[in-house]
Amino acid sequence: MDSENLILRLFDVNAVKFGTFTLKSGIESPVYFDLRVMVSYPDIMDAVADTLFDTAKKSGVEYSVLCGVPYTALPIATLMAVKQKVPMVIRRKEAKSYGTKKMIEGAFQEGEVCLIVEDVVTTGSSVMETAQSLAEVGLKVKDAIVLLDRAQGGADRLRDSGINLYSAFDLPRILEVLHAHGKITDEVVKSVKAFIQENMVNLPQEPAAKKPRREYLGYQARAELCQHPVAKQLFGIMEDKQTNLAFSVDVTTSSQVLELADQVGPYICVLKTHVDILEDFSSTFIQSLQDLAEKHNFLIFEDRKFADIGNTVQHQYSSGMYKISEWSHITNAHSVAGPGIISGLKAVGGAKNRACLLIGQMSSSGNLATGEYTKATVKMAEENSDFVIGFISTSSLTPDPTFIHMTPGVKLSEGKDNLGQQYLTPAEVITNRKSDIIIVGRGIYQASNPAEVARQYQEAGMKAYHQLLEGETDR
Ligand code: S5P
């Protein structure tokens, strides 16, 4: 059965319904999926198992064991396991109250990679719970496949926890097929599309082969499109120096900062500072830093993460001992305080042609900058694009080519620190998540030869950028 017929069959058996439904999250939805009914239709089960295998194959995921999220995906995973002769494990919903308290049943080796199978993902929490149970017994989870991603933030949340979600279908495709076959009216299509617009955070990733690719513009073209002088300059530097590397120089003395900035300067487009961790901050230090920025042609970004009301941040930005607005081309702010924070910063930095990034997502595990918060942050940026030039985020948040995305939590191999930081690779960040700039701190300044390692990050970042432009994915 091809995907079109599978969608039609799912509609026939009432696994896809249109009307007014209240979802678990409290959101009212004009469309509802109840895939539990599939077990009664062998032809559908068969097609779903094949479709999910196809999705896994096209996404290039690697695994040696399968696990279905209980309950609906359990029989699907079973069928896939039997058809493809891959072992599976079962996750219990509740631990047994007698005997062994095992949550995962089956025979497996610690360190084996397990692919999670799910029917529908909304927030991603069921996949996350399953991944946690699997991790507790030593199984590794990198990817999950789902028949349908409702695109309400689940993929983002999972990605933040290090799990890539690949879906076989998305809602627009289902609408298209059902409408083309006269199963739903124009009205229904309109109401579901309006719902998608309002509630969907990111459209799900389809297997690369099926999806028409968005054309990515190069740095030069984006420099030309930008109105803000700092954004224009930054894309210009990225093009001229062929680098998308920002160095986060989180060391605690001025001399260390200056020495590192001079060594690493040739390989970066942005130097990111936290001047409040310096033991010996002074205005002469700032003068030397500005000289280095000039010498090596990079921008200075003070990572101040303003988070207060407009009136307070105005003073924090212009005054005190750091006078950030005097010397930092770029600074950043949390959107939690509302748009007044941008007005406050803009009142100080606007006339000086300074720029701001909003923190739309964070790299640390368990952070709250997800879903609706991220969406509202993007809106705030769009409404203040004369001062906000982009985002700190772990993925691209908008296709608007004049906004720049900078991603922290980057190392040459994935991992974590012991305080919640989570690392992704340059290829994952630039090619797969379509961010623009990698921010690297410890990966460079803790290396024995920071300049050489910075060069390696520059090379990895640009390789990933060229892959993005050429439409390749890194998977
Ligand atoms: O979500 C975030 C946002 C930022 S700006 N996660 C982050 O790690 N950062 C900053 O990026 C953080 O303050 C630090 O300066 C840098 C990452 O440093 P690394 O040593 O972990 O590479």
Side-chain angles (χ1 to χ4, degrees), residues 9 37 75 96 102 129 167 235 330 336 354 375 388 396:
R9 281 290 285 140
V37 69
K96 287 188 289 186
K102 277 200 293 191
E129 278 167 25
S167 66
F235 280 121
I330 302 171
V336 66
R354 299 302 186 205
K375 234 171 93 176
V388 176
S396 167

Side-chain angles (χ1 to χ4, degrees), residues 75-123:
I76 304 173
T78 313
L79 189 55
M80 290 170 70
V82 174
K83 283 178 97 158
Q84 303 289 333
K85 305 203 180 351
V86 181
M88 68 177 264
V89 291
I90 294 178
R91 176 188 169 230
R92 291 181 173 281
K93 271 206 105 142
E94 290 89 26
K96 287 188 289 186
S97 54
Y98 57 90
T100 55
K101 288 228 166 106
K102 277 200 293 191
M103 287 294 282
I104 303 293
E105 304 283 355
F108 54 85
Q109 303 286 325
E110 208 169 292
E112 268 194 270
V113 179
C114 182
L115 175 67
I116 293 184
V117 179
E118 176 62 307
D119 58 338
V120 182
V121 163
T122 306
T123 63

Side-chain angles (χ1 to χ4, degrees), residues 124-250:
S125 57
S126 305
V127 171
M128 210 108 80
E129 278 167 25
T130 301
Q132 271 157 11
S133 301
L134 293 166
E136 278 163 22
V137 297
L139 283 164
K140 282 196 187 140
V141 177
K142 295 181 182 165
D143 307 283
I145 48 169
V146 61
L147 191 63
L148 180 93
D149 178 3
R150 291 194 57 124
Q152 274 152 244
D156 278 354
R157 286 185 60 208
L158 289 170
R159 202 186 289 141
D160 289 347
S161 316
I163 301 173
N164 299 306
L165 182 73
Y166 298 97
S167 66
F169 299 142
D170 61 17
L171 257 174
R173 164 88 179 132
I174 290 177
L175 288 182
E176 180 189 274
V177 170
L178 294 179
H179 188 247
H181 286 79
K183 303 281 182 193
I184 49 175
T185 61
D186 292 351
E187 276 258 287
V188 169
V189 173
K190 236 165 94 189
S191 79
V192 179
K193 281 200 170 152
F195 172 79
I196 296 173
Q197 282 287 324
E198 276 169 37
N199 294 288
M200 307 244 155
V201 177
N202 261 335
L203 283 177
Q205 298 168 302
E206 276 198 5
K210 278 205 239 156
K211 196 172 174 183
R213 292 187 192 289
R214 181 187 138 200
E215 293 288 321
Y216 277 86
L217 296 173
Y219 301 145
Q220 187 58 45
R222 290 174 71 180
E224 281 158 25
L225 287 174
C226 287
Q227 298 290 323
H228 196 291
V230 172
K232 219 180 225 327
Q233 192 184 353
L234 180 50
F235 280 121
I237 294 173
M238 291 165 79
E239 176 68 29
D240 291 348
K241 291 178 74 176
Q242 288 292 296
T243 178
N244 52 22
L245 173 63
F247 173 39
S248 186
V249 60
D250 302 335

Side-chain angles (χ1 to χ4, degrees), residues 426-439:
E428 174 63 22
V429 168
I430 303 290
T431 317
N432 295 345
R433 298 177 177 221
K434 302 172 178 46
S435 181
D436 301 307
I437 289 182
I438 49 172
I439 299 178

Side-chain angles (χ1 to χ4, degrees), residues 248 250 272 274 301 303 305 332 359 361-364 392 408-411 417 421 423 439-443 445:
S248 186
D250 302 335
K272 187 174 82 60
H274 280 296
F301 164 19
D303 184 6
K305 295 191 183 69
N332 56 355
I359 297 156
Q361 290 173 326
M362 292 194 71
S363 61
S364 43
I392 294 291
V410 177
K411 278 201 173 173
D417 71 6
Q421 176 70 303
Y423 290 107
I439 299 178
V440 182
R442 282 166 282 182
Y445 67 77

